Amino acid sequence: MGNSKSGALSKEVLDDLKSNTRYTDDELCKWYDTFKKQCPDGKITRPDFEKIYANFFPNSDPKTYASHVFRSFDTNDDGTLDFREYIIALHLTSSGKTSLKLEWAFSLFDVDRNGEISKVEVLEIIAAIFKMIPPEEQKNLPEDENTPQKRADKLWAYFKKKEHDKIAEGEFIQGVMANDNIMRLIQYDPKPKS
């Protein structure tokens, strides 16, 4: 008793997560207990994160994409996600506001973290997304976006960019908010099994 490593979620982290997500005390405490069981040291490594992510895409290869997702949420660059970073990741990718999701999407595409995205970075992330799309679904994609290169070219055309131009965060968010087709190009929504 009185041990500072009792495994309980600190009030500061709990209050921070409640104010920055839609999750309740009860949900956060349950997730924390599960997190602590899976990650007794309170940190999740990239390989562990990739394994968890793979469970959501059993018929494809999400490893590269998961690696980029991990990078975008490892805000302190220590090579691990703590519980707070993990919950923020869950919130933003599943239930966050569109503007917050787009801020996250920008950080995902900004591979070199220089505050702008290039077509090379867009192609890198879209190629990672394509690895998650099962081959039978890829066959049904429109002709002008059925490869990572075609999809990157189409995205770049929506932004009216030349090959070596860059896109800043505000421009990215505005462009995606103004055009549903761009949102569709930068993500993959698995088809539910019928």
Side-chain angles (χ1 to χ4, degrees):
M1 298 224 305
N3 181 349
S4 63
K5 292 188 177 190
S6 66
L9 184 56
S10 78
K11 182 170 176 16
E12 296 89 322
V13 171
L14 184 62
D15 289 346
D16 177 49
L17 289 172
K18 277 186 2 198
S19 65
N20 286 300
T21 70
R22 298 179 182 177
Y23 305 132
T24 65
D25 278 21
D26 198 37
E27 288 171 317
L28 290 166
C29 289
K30 282 180 184 164
W31 280 338
Y32 185 71
D33 289 342
T34 303
F35 184 84
K36 286 298 282 183
K37 281 182 189 132
Q38 293 175 338
C39 310
D41 66 352
K43 303 275 185 181
I44 187 168
T45 63
R46 190 172 77 207
D48 290 338
F49 183 80
E50 289 168 1
K51 282 182 203 152
I52 292 166
Y53 216 89
N55 293 330
F56 295 103
F57 300 95
N59 302 320
S60 56
D61 177 13
K63 186 176 180 181
T64 307
Y65 186 73
S67 174
H68 284 294
V69 170
F70 184 91
R71 170 195 41 83
S72 73
F73 286 115
D74 181 13
T75 53
N76 62 0
D77 257 346
D78 69 353
T80 65
L81 296 183
D82 61 23
F83 181 71
R84 185 189 176 286
E85 290 168 321
Y86 179 71
I87 291 298
I88 295 293
L90 277 178
H91 174 70
L92 285 179
T93 57
S94 64
S95 60
K97 293 181 190 142
T98 302
S99 60
L100 290 176
K101 278 186 182 180
L102 292 178
E103 283 177 25
W104 168 72
F106 182 84
S107 75
L108 179 70
F109 279 86
D110 185 12
V111 175
D112 65 9
R113 295 184 173 174
N114 71 350
E116 301 176 311
I117 55 177
S118 66
K119 190 172 181 186
V120 170
E121 289 172 313
V122 165
L123 182 57
E124 184 175 339
I125 300 302
I126 289 176
I129 290 170
F130 256 73
K131 288 181 178 180
M132 297 190 312
I133 304 174
E136 63 276 7
E137 283 184 44
Q138 286 186 30
K139 289 177 196 162
N140 298 326
L141 291 171
E143 177 63 32
D144 65 343
E145 57 185 67
N146 62 3
T147 69
Q149 185 66 56
K150 287 179 184 176
R151 196 172 266 208
D153 289 345
K154 191 171 183 178
L155 180 72
W156 224 236
Y158 277 126
F159 280 102
K160 297 178 174 61
K161 294 293 182 185
K162 295 186 178 100
E163 193 70 19
H164 297 289
D165 286 348
K166 309 268 190 205
I167 300 173
E169 185 176 18
E171 181 182 11
F172 177 81
I173 292 170
Q174 238 180 335
V176 177
M177 298 277 268
N179 190 327
D180 288 341
N181 287 317
I182 296 175
M183 181 65 96
R184 190 179 48 73
L185 291 175
I186 64 170
Q187 64 186 7
Y188 167 58
D189 286 323
K191 305 268 183 284
K193 300 280 182 227
S194 35

Short mmCIF file of all heavy atoms in Angstrom, two decimals, residues 122-154:
data_model
loop_
_atom_site.label_atom_id
_atom_site.label_comp_id
_atom_site.label_asym_id
_atom_site.label_seq_id
_atom_site.Cartn_x
_atom_site.Cartn_y
_atom_site.Cartn_z
N VAL A 122 3.55 11.94 -49.80
CA VAL A 122 2.19 11.48 -50.08
C VAL A 122 2.24 10.08 -50.69
O VAL A 122 1.50 9.18 -50.26
CB VAL A 122 1.46 12.48 -51.03
CG1 VAL A 122 0.21 11.86 -51.62
CG2 VAL A 122 1.12 13.76 -50.29
N LEU A 123 3.13 9.88 -51.65
CA LEU A 123 3.25 8.58 -52.30
C LEU A 123 3.67 7.51 -51.28
O LEU A 123 3.16 6.39 -51.30
CB LEU A 123 4.24 8.65 -53.46
CG LEU A 123 4.42 7.36 -54.26
CD1 LEU A 123 3.10 6.87 -54.83
CD2 LEU A 123 5.43 7.58 -55.38
N GLU A 124 4.58 7.85 -50.38
CA GLU A 124 5.03 6.89 -49.36
C GLU A 124 3.88 6.42 -48.48
O GLU A 124 3.72 5.22 -48.21
CB GLU A 124 6.13 7.52 -48.50
CG GLU A 124 6.72 6.59 -47.48
CD GLU A 124 7.89 7.19 -46.70
OE1 GLU A 124 8.53 8.16 -47.17
OE2 GLU A 124 8.18 6.67 -45.61
N ILE A 125 3.05 7.35 -48.03
CA ILE A 125 1.93 6.98 -47.16
C ILE A 125 0.85 6.25 -47.95
O ILE A 125 0.29 5.25 -47.48
CB ILE A 125 1.35 8.22 -46.43
CG1 ILE A 125 2.42 8.89 -45.57
CG2 ILE A 125 0.13 7.83 -45.59
CD1 ILE A 125 3.06 8.02 -44.51
N ILE A 126 0.55 6.72 -49.15
CA ILE A 126 -0.47 6.04 -49.96
C ILE A 126 -0.03 4.62 -50.30
O ILE A 126 -0.83 3.69 -50.29
CB ILE A 126 -0.82 6.87 -51.22
CG1 ILE A 126 -1.62 8.12 -50.78
CG2 ILE A 126 -1.63 6.04 -52.20
CD1 ILE A 126 -1.96 9.08 -51.89
N ALA A 127 1.26 4.43 -50.56
CA ALA A 127 1.77 3.07 -50.82
C ALA A 127 1.56 2.18 -49.59
O ALA A 127 1.19 1.01 -49.71
CB ALA A 127 3.24 3.12 -51.21
N ALA A 128 1.77 2.74 -48.40
CA ALA A 128 1.54 1.99 -47.16
C ALA A 128 0.05 1.66 -46.99
O ALA A 128 -0.30 0.56 -46.56
CB ALA A 128 2.05 2.79 -45.95
N ILE A 129 -0.81 2.62 -47.34
CA ILE A 129 -2.26 2.39 -47.28
C ILE A 129 -2.65 1.26 -48.23
O ILE A 129 -3.44 0.38 -47.90
CB ILE A 129 -3.05 3.68 -47.60
CG1 ILE A 129 -2.87 4.70 -46.46
CG2 ILE A 129 -4.53 3.38 -47.84
CD1 ILE A 129 -3.40 6.10 -46.78
N PHE A 130 -2.07 1.26 -49.44
CA PHE A 130 -2.40 0.25 -50.44
C PHE A 130 -2.08 -1.16 -49.94
O PHE A 130 -2.78 -2.11 -50.29
CB PHE A 130 -1.67 0.52 -51.76
CG PHE A 130 -2.59 1.09 -52.80
CD1 PHE A 130 -3.03 2.40 -52.71
CD2 PHE A 130 -3.03 0.32 -53.86
CE1 PHE A 130 -3.88 2.95 -53.64
CE2 PHE A 130 -3.90 0.85 -54.81
CZ PHE A 130 -4.33 2.16 -54.70
N LYS A 131 -1.04 -1.30 -49.13
CA LYS A 131 -0.69 -2.63 -48.61
C LYS A 131 -1.78 -3.17 -47.70
O LYS A 131 -1.84 -4.38 -47.44
CB LYS A 131 0.63 -2.57 -47.83
CG LYS A 131 1.84 -2.39 -48.70
CD LYS A 131 3.09 -2.37 -47.86
CE LYS A 131 4.33 -2.24 -48.71
NZ LYS A 131 5.54 -2.23 -47.87
N MET A 132 -2.64 -2.29 -47.19
CA MET A 132 -3.74 -2.72 -46.32
C MET A 132 -4.99 -3.09 -47.11
O MET A 132 -5.91 -3.70 -46.56
CB MET A 132 -4.09 -1.63 -45.31
CG MET A 132 -2.95 -1.33 -44.36
SD MET A 132 -3.41 -0.25 -42.99
CE MET A 132 -4.27 1.09 -43.76
N ILE A 133 -5.06 -2.70 -48.37
CA ILE A 133 -6.26 -2.96 -49.17
C ILE A 133 -6.13 -4.36 -49.78
O ILE A 133 -5.20 -4.61 -50.55
CB ILE A 133 -6.43 -1.91 -50.30
CG1 ILE A 133 -6.47 -0.49 -49.72
CG2 ILE A 133 -7.71 -2.21 -51.10
CD1 ILE A 133 -6.49 0.61 -50.77
N PRO A 134 -7.02 -5.27 -49.42
CA PRO A 134 -6.94 -6.62 -49.99
C PRO A 134 -6.99 -6.57 -51.52
O PRO A 134 -7.68 -5.73 -52.10
CB PRO A 134 -8.18 -7.33 -49.42
CG PRO A 134 -8.53 -6.55 -48.19
CD PRO A 134 -8.14 -5.13 -48.49
N PRO A 135 -6.25 -7.48 -52.18
CA PRO A 135 -6.18 -7.47 -53.65
C PRO A 135 -7.55 -7.48 -54.34
O PRO A 135 -7.74 -6.80 -55.34
CB PRO A 135 -5.39 -8.75 -53.98
CG PRO A 135 -4.59 -9.03 -52.74
CD PRO A 135 -5.40 -8.51 -51.59
N GLU A 136 -8.52 -8.22 -53.76
CA GLU A 136 -9.84 -8.26 -54.41
C GLU A 136 -10.52 -6.88 -54.37
O GLU A 136 -11.28 -6.54 -55.28
CB GLU A 136 -10.73 -9.35 -53.82
CG GLU A 136 -11.09 -9.21 -52.35
CD GLU A 136 -10.05 -9.75 -51.38
OE1 GLU A 136 -8.94 -10.15 -51.80
OE2 GLU A 136 -10.34 -9.76 -50.17
N GLU A 137 -10.24 -6.09 -53.33
CA GLU A 137 -10.79 -4.72 -53.29
C GLU A 137 -10.03 -3.80 -54.23
O GLU A 137 -10.63 -2.90 -54.83
CB GLU A 137 -10.74 -4.17 -51.86
CG GLU A 137 -11.83 -4.71 -50.95
CD GLU A 137 -11.80 -4.06 -49.58
OE1 GLU A 137 -11.66 -2.81 -49.50
OE2 GLU A 137 -11.93 -4.80 -48.59
N GLN A 138 -8.73 -4.00 -54.36
CA GLN A 138 -7.93 -3.17 -55.28
C GLN A 138 -8.45 -3.29 -56.71
O GLN A 138 -8.46 -2.32 -57.45
CB GLN A 138 -6.45 -3.55 -55.21
CG GLN A 138 -5.76 -3.07 -53.96
CD GLN A 138 -4.27 -3.33 -53.97
OE1 GLN A 138 -3.65 -3.35 -55.03
NE2 GLN A 138 -3.70 -3.54 -52.80
N LYS A 139 -8.90 -4.49 -57.08
CA LYS A 139 -9.41 -4.72 -58.45
C LYS A 139 -10.62 -3.85 -58.74
O LYS A 139 -10.90 -3.55 -59.89
CB LYS A 139 -9.80 -6.19 -58.64
CG LYS A 139 -8.64 -7.13 -58.70
CD LYS A 139 -9.14 -8.56 -58.83
CE LYS A 139 -8.03 -9.54 -58.50
NZ LYS A 139 -8.53 -10.87 -58.19
N ASN A 140 -11.35 -3.46 -57.69
CA ASN A 140 -12.58 -2.68 -57.88
C ASN A 140 -12.37 -1.17 -57.78
O ASN A 140 -13.33 -0.41 -57.87
CB ASN A 140 -13.63 -3.11 -56.85
CG ASN A 140 -14.02 -4.57 -57.03
OD1 ASN A 140 -14.06 -5.07 -58.15
ND2 ASN A 140 -14.28 -5.24 -55.93
N LEU A 141 -11.13 -0.74 -57.58
CA LEU A 141 -10.86 0.70 -57.49
C LEU A 141 -10.99 1.36 -58.86
O LEU A 141 -10.71 0.72 -59.88
CB LEU A 141 -9.46 0.95 -56.94
CG LEU A 141 -9.24 0.58 -55.47
CD1 LEU A 141 -7.75 0.67 -55.11
CD2 LEU A 141 -10.06 1.47 -54.56
N PRO A 142 -11.40 2.63 -58.90
CA PRO A 142 -11.48 3.34 -60.19
C PRO A 142 -10.12 3.32 -60.90
O PRO A 142 -9.07 3.37 -60.27
CB PRO A 142 -11.87 4.77 -59.80
CG PRO A 142 -12.46 4.65 -58.43
CD PRO A 142 -11.79 3.48 -57.78
N GLU A 143 -10.16 3.26 -62.22
CA GLU A 143 -8.94 3.17 -63.05
C GLU A 143 -7.93 4.27 -62.73
O GLU A 143 -6.73 4.02 -62.72
CB GLU A 143 -9.34 3.23 -64.54
CG GLU A 143 -8.19 3.20 -65.52
CD GLU A 143 -7.37 1.92 -65.48
OE1 GLU A 143 -7.94 0.85 -65.20
OE2 GLU A 143 -6.15 2.00 -65.73
N ASP A 144 -8.41 5.48 -62.42
CA ASP A 144 -7.48 6.59 -62.20
C ASP A 144 -6.92 6.66 -60.78
O ASP A 144 -6.23 7.60 -60.42
CB ASP A 144 -8.12 7.93 -62.58
CG ASP A 144 -9.31 8.28 -61.70
OD1 ASP A 144 -9.85 7.39 -61.01
OD2 ASP A 144 -9.70 9.45 -61.70
N GLU A 145 -7.22 5.62 -59.96
CA GLU A 145 -6.66 5.60 -58.61
C GLU A 145 -6.40 4.18 -58.11
O GLU A 145 -6.39 3.91 -56.93
CB GLU A 145 -7.54 6.36 -57.62
CG GLU A 145 -8.95 5.87 -57.53
CD GLU A 145 -9.83 6.73 -56.63
OE1 GLU A 145 -10.10 7.89 -56.98
OE2 GLU A 145 -10.24 6.22 -55.58
N ASN A 146 -6.12 3.28 -59.05
CA ASN A 146 -5.94 1.88 -58.67
C ASN A 146 -4.48 1.49 -58.40
O ASN A 146 -4.16 0.32 -58.25
CB ASN A 146 -6.58 0.93 -59.69
CG ASN A 146 -5.96 1.04 -61.06
OD1 ASN A 146 -5.00 1.78 -61.26
ND2 ASN A 146 -6.51 0.31 -62.01
N THR A 147 -3.58 2.49 -58.34
CA THR A 147 -2.20 2.27 -57.90
C THR A 147 -1.82 3.42 -56.97
O THR A 147 -2.44 4.50 -57.05
CB THR A 147 -1.19 2.24 -59.07
OG1 THR A 147 -1.09 3.56 -59.62
CG2 THR A 147 -1.59 1.25 -60.15
N PRO A 148 -0.82 3.21 -56.12
CA PRO A 148 -0.40 4.33 -55.26
C PRO A 148 0.01 5.57 -56.08
O PRO A 148 -0.35 6.70 -55.71
CB PRO A 148 0.79 3.75 -54.49
CG PRO A 148 0.51 2.29 -54.43
CD PRO A 148 -0.14 1.97 -55.77
N GLN A 149 0.72 5.38 -57.18
CA GLN A 149 1.16 6.51 -58.00
C GLN A 149 -0.03 7.28 -58.59
O GLN A 149 -0.07 8.51 -58.53
CB GLN A 149 2.09 6.04 -59.13
CG GLN A 149 2.68 7.20 -59.93
CD GLN A 149 3.62 8.07 -59.12
OE1 GLN A 149 4.58 7.58 -58.55
NE2 GLN A 149 3.35 9.36 -59.06
N LYS A 150 -1.00 6.55 -59.12
CA LYS A 150 -2.18 7.22 -59.70
C LYS A 150 -2.95 7.99 -58.62
O LYS A 150 -3.43 9.09 -58.85
CB LYS A 150 -3.12 6.19 -60.36
CG LYS A 150 -2.61 5.63 -61.67
CD LYS A 150 -3.62 4.61 -62.19
CE LYS A 150 -3.15 3.91 -63.44
NZ LYS A 150 -4.12 2.87 -63.87
N ARG A 151 -3.05 7.39 -57.44
CA ARG A 151 -3.77 8.04 -56.35
C ARG A 151 -3.02 9.30 -55.89
O ARG A 151 -3.63 10.33 -55.64
CB ARG A 151 -3.96 7.06 -55.19
CG ARG A 151 -5.01 7.53 -54.21
CD ARG A 151 -5.32 6.48 -53.19
NE ARG A 151 -6.46 5.69 -53.62
CZ ARG A 151 -7.29 5.07 -52.80
NH1 ARG A 151 -7.10 5.13 -51.50
NH2 ARG A 151 -8.31 4.40 -53.25
N ALA A 152 -1.71 9.21 -55.78
CA ALA A 152 -0.91 10.39 -55.40
C ALA A 152 -1.03 11.48 -56.46
O ALA A 152 -1.17 12.66 -56.13
CB ALA A 152 0.55 9.99 -55.20
N ASP A 153 -0.99 11.09 -57.74
CA ASP A 153 -1.14 12.06 -58.84
C ASP A 153 -2.50 12.75 -58.76
O ASP A 153 -2.60 13.97 -58.92
CB ASP A 153 -1.00 11.37 -60.21
CG ASP A 153 0.42 10.91 -60.52
OD1 ASP A 153 1.37 11.36 -59.83
OD2 ASP A 153 0.58 10.09 -61.44
N LYS A 154 -3.54 11.97 -58.50
CA LYS A 154 -4.90 12.53 -58.41
C LYS A 154 -5.00 13.50 -57.23
O LYS A 154 -5.58 14.58 -57.36
CB LYS A 154 -5.90 11.38 -58.26
CG LYS A 154 -7.34 11.77 -58.43
CD LYS A 154 -8.23 10.53 -58.48
CE LYS A 154 -9.67 10.91 -58.72
NZ LYS A 154 -10.54 9.72 -58.83
#
